[in-house]
Amino acid sequence: MSNDYSLYFHIPFCKQRCAYCDFNTYAGREDTIPAYVDALRNEIKAAGVALSASQGKSAPRLGVGTIFFGGGTPSLLAPDQFRDIFQSIRAFFEVSPQAEISLEANPGTVSLAYLRELRALGFNRISYGAQSANPNELRMLERIHNYNDVVDAVRWSRRTGFDNLNLDLIYGLPEQTLISWQNTVKLIVGLRPEHISAYALTVEPGTPFGRWAAKGLLPSPDPDLAAEQYEWTMDYLTAQGYVQYEISNWALPGRECRHNLQYWRNLDYLGLGAGAHGYAGGYRYSNVLRIKTYLNRSADSRFADLPFPLSQATVHWHRNTPRDDMQETMMTGLRLTDEGISAEGFRQRFGVDLLEVFGKEILKLETVGLLKWEGEALRLTRRGRLLGNQVFMEFVGG
Ligand code: SF4
């Protein structure tokens, strides 16, 4: 059995929308969760049936090494609803006994009893959206939780046997000082999560933050301060025993998120649910965004005959050319600050030399100090980590 695939489930429900968030998620729609769970089960079945049609009935079932429930707020689903989803997954896929099974959770939505049930169902990793330890910052972000909720969530998770936790943080907030950010990171490190993600805020149009910024009501985040916060974070977390393995992600040794590594290594994953994206069988595809349309399509047999990995929920798909795959591998693989792009791995995967395809781009980025060779691995320099988008854009053209 191979464990080559990852499964991502998008759960687009939140108790309320945070002021900076532009994810595909909806507040006040919890009444549709039962129907949504049924639709997800239909989509799993559709993927499983299309897969066996494409491979033949005697082919071994597809192995799954990681499962990730993201959102939105997946912790709004009840344990029974997860049980039903797992039952469908196991009916069509071979889930590895060592699979990493992650849940994204909002610290204000979990309890000891809930976590105990999740652990019994097989979840073994939780990623909490902590964001900040500062009450004023959490209020400005319009989060529903406070820092004590984060402390409780971590404590309850430990008590119920979770030994693999991530805490998400945001820096570069309007009016956030370097000291307030350092205070947040130090408090979070004090909780000793196995994994920490730190993302710079981007003010997106269409969010309350975007509207306030357009009216001049929100002070603009200072990009120089955000860079200083990021550089300090790299040094501090390294000194605390965390290994930076991706531009925005740090882990205790061996605790990298296997699910996200699958994305960054540009390997196959199925995306299920409203607004989910997937990359499998040579297709890059995305599902319909709106919950109502997702539910309607789930029951509509006119959409049932698309080839694997597409489903009745798929609205956009593109069959990747080898060139697309090579470009995407550069863009995602260079995010891996430690691993980078292996020249030998590239040659084995694509049957062509890395420098033959991207020699010009690599030389240019080396010359300006954003990329460097270490042995046969091509990696971002420290400056390249700060200017990642500039690096990735070089590989998009042509
Ligand atoms: S909880 Fe997360 S997904 Fe939901 S609105 Fe807030 S930031 Fe967005």
Side-chain angles (χ1 to χ4, degrees), residues 295-328:
L295 298 182
N296 289 343
R297 279 196 168 227
S298 164
D300 191 333
S301 59
R302 284 176 306 160
F303 298 106
D305 58 354
L306 291 171
F308 178 82
L310 313 177
S311 77
Q312 62 271 47
T314 311
V315 280
H316 299 293
W317 64 89
H318 169 74
R319 195 151 180 67
N320 267 13
T321 64
R323 174 87 190 170
D324 294 333
D325 281 332
M326 287 190 267
Q327 288 177 319
E328 289 170 5

Side-chain angles (χ1 to χ4, degrees), residues 285-301:
Y285 65 94
S286 59
N287 279 356
V288 62
L289 291 172
R290 287 164 54 90
I291 294 171
K292 190 162 181 282
T293 322
Y294 179 75
L295 298 182
N296 289 343
R297 279 196 168 227
S298 164
D300 191 333
S301 59

